[in-house]
């Protein structure tokens, strides 16, 4: 029997987390808490079935080694050119147009120059609290062998800084953080990304 009033079901975006290495489980959990369905992505074929992607922290050199097999890197390049992608720490390094210290290959879509391990060794990892452009007051930021975004182009919006350098940036469909938002309890950054994915539903074109 038909019910007299129909309620619209909200669309839940499917967001992939590159699950090769690093803290992908924490990202998947954070995405679920932010209202998305999280999918662990281990094969290039899976990219066709997701609305957005998180490139987690870890070791960018290890990611590259894995991605260079089986044409995964090429498929990923195509995906990040037009679909919402959020890179954190090593993920931010993968997205950057220029990588320094040392120079290495990347997906080259984020108009930024990024220096790897810029804050020193593992022991120099830290937790900071700072203001961001997101509503809701200061945000906890966990830095682990973090890169530094040395410079960005004019089309990149800086959402937060540390010592005058960008730490959270947005460029059209791309979001990148040099810290690890998935390791804090605050879900604002993941929610912000989920909202980006919702806003670009069905839109495969680049808007940067
Ligand atoms: N130092 C790592 C790299 O260069 C990034 C560290 C991280 O993702 N926490 O890839």
């Amino acid at each position: 029997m038909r019910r007299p009033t129909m309620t619209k079901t909200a669309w839940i975006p499917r967001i992939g987390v590159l699950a090769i290495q690093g803290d992908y489980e924490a990202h998947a959990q954070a995405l679920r808490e932010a209202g998305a369905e999280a999918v662990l992505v281990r094969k290039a074929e899976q990219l066709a079935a997701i609305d957005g992607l998180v490139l987690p922290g870890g070791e960018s050199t290890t990611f590259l080694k894995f991605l260079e097999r089986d044409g995964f890197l090429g498929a990923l390049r195509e995906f990040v050119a037009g679909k919402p992608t959020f890179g954190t720490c090593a993920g931010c390094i993968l997205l950057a147009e220029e990588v320094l210290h040392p120079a290495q290959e990347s997906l080259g879509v984020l108009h930024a120059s990024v220096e790897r391990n810029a804050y020193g060794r593992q022991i120099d990892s830290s937790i900071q609290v700072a203001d961001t452009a997101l509503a809701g007051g200061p945000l906890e930021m966990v830095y682990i062998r973090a890169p530094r975004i040395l410079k960005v182009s004019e089309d990149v919006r800086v959402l937060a800084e540390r010592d005058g350098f960008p730490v959270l940036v947005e460029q059209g469909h791309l979001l990148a953080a040099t810290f690890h938002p998935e390791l804090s309890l605050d879900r604002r950054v993941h929610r912000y990304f989920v909202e980006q994915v919702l806003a670009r539903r069905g839109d495969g074109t680049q808007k940067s």
Side-chain angles (χ1 to χ4, degrees):
M1 206 171 57
R2 275 189 77 179
R3 285 192 296 175
T5 49
M6 299 281 280
T7 44
K8 259 196 182 171
T9 324
W11 179 64
I12 297 177
R14 293 187 90 207
I15 301 185
V17 184
L18 187 66
I20 291 170
Q21 187 249 348
D23 56 348
Y24 50 83
E25 276 297 350
H27 268 295
Q29 184 57 30
L31 286 168
R32 284 181 206 116
E33 287 170 19
E37 182 192 338
V39 185
L40 298 183
V41 173
R42 294 197 168 96
K43 289 187 180 140
E45 304 89 83
Q46 289 176 275
L47 295 172
I50 53 172
D51 307 300
L53 179 67
V54 171
L55 303 176
E59 204 50 53
S60 54
T61 47
T62 310
F63 279 119
L64 282 170
K65 257 185 226 151
F66 186 92
L67 291 169
E68 274 158 6
R69 290 187 226 153
D70 310 329
F72 204 157
L73 194 59
L76 202 54
R77 258 189 232 286
E78 232 171 84
F79 185 92
V80 303
K83 292 278 194 133
T85 305
F86 177 23
T88 60
C89 205
C92 170
I93 296 169
L94 286 178
L95 288 177
E97 205 166 43
E98 184 180 42
V99 181
L100 305 167
H101 191 225
Q104 70 184 28
E105 210 192 333
S106 69
L107 297 167
V109 273
L110 179 66
H111 302 149
S113 176
V114 175
E115 179 190 6
R116 293 181 60 210
N117 301 316
Y119 297 93
R121 301 160 73 89
Q122 190 80 25
I123 199 155
D124 302 306
S125 298
S126 66
I127 298 177
Q128 317 256 331
V129 177
D131 282 325
T132 74
L134 309 183
L139 182 79
E140 180 185 274
M141 300 171 182
V142 179
Y143 292 92
I144 304 170
R145 297 185 65 223
R148 183 186 277 134
I149 298 175
L150 297 173
K151 56 176 197 262
V152 292
S153 299
E154 270 174 25
D155 57 347
V156 177
R157 187 174 164 227
V158 177
L159 302 174
E161 289 181 344
R162 173 179 173 182
D163 306 327
F165 293 96
V167 294
L168 179 62
V169 298
E170 176 179 38
Q171 177 197 309
H173 63 290
L174 304 173
L175 185 67
T178 60
F179 57 95
H180 287 255
E182 75 287 2
L183 298 182
S184 297
L185 296 174
D186 197 319
R187 288 291 160 253
R188 275 180 288 163
V189 183
H190 284 84
R191 243 184 275 132
Y192 189 78
F193 181 59
V194 171
E195 277 160 24
Q196 274 196 342
V197 177
L198 284 168
R200 285 164 195 277
R201 181 183 181 185
D203 179 0
T205 58
Q206 188 158 0
K207 279 192 179 171
S208 53

